[in-house]
Amino acid sequence: MPEGLSEALQRAQHLADTEPGPSAELFGELAGELERASFAGHAGQLRIRQRDLLASAGQNGAAFAVAAELLLDRYEDGDPAKVVLDYKVVDANGTSLDCGHQKPRRPADSEPV
């Protein structure tokens, strides 16, 4: 962890049980510092803690925003370990469809869309 941040982390952890809102703010600031120092993996862990504390503090909109940011980071990361490779495409009745056929086939005499 970059110099000087361990004390702030201890303070954020100490506040977590009694003051989740201020603790979440500190976790967010720490995550930002880690992101700027290219410690994205560690920053992500602090963002998860920030999200949980925001929810505990009743700040659901802010918690959702952090969760969405985490989701987008994982999506944009493109890490193959985070990609779902085992899947099955089904229709509304649960019938298996060939890969790439998300819509049922139109009858041959129907109008093109």
Side-chain angles (χ1 to χ4, degrees):
M1 180 169 285
E3 189 177 324
L5 296 184
S6 62
E7 295 84 14
L9 178 60
Q10 288 176 350
R11 183 165 182 247
Q13 290 170 332
H14 178 73
L15 288 173
D17 291 332
T18 57
E19 298 182 60
S23 178
E25 186 176 331
L26 283 172
F27 273 105
E29 291 170 6
L30 288 166
E33 289 293 325
L34 289 173
E35 289 162 352
R36 285 186 284 283
S38 299
F39 289 97
H42 297 292
Q45 293 302 311
L46 294 184
R47 292 275 181 216
I48 290 169
R49 186 74 169 121
Q50 177 190 21
R51 178 205 58 203
D52 294 344
L53 287 164
L54 286 166
S56 294
Q59 298 178 31
N60 296 324
F64 180 81
V66 172
E69 182 181 328
L70 286 165
L71 181 65
L72 285 172
D73 286 347
R74 288 185 179 159
Y75 174 77
E76 291 172 351
D77 184 25
D79 184 345
K82 298 176 186 168
V83 176
V84 175
L85 299 176
D86 184 24
Y87 64 92
K88 184 168 140 181
V89 179
V90 297
D91 65 13
N93 297 318
T95 305
S96 291
L97 300 173
D98 293 333
C99 182
H101 294 280
Q102 278 72 30
K103 295 188 214 177
R105 294 190 176 133
R106 290 177 284 152
D109 62 343
S110 70
E111 296 279 327
V113 179

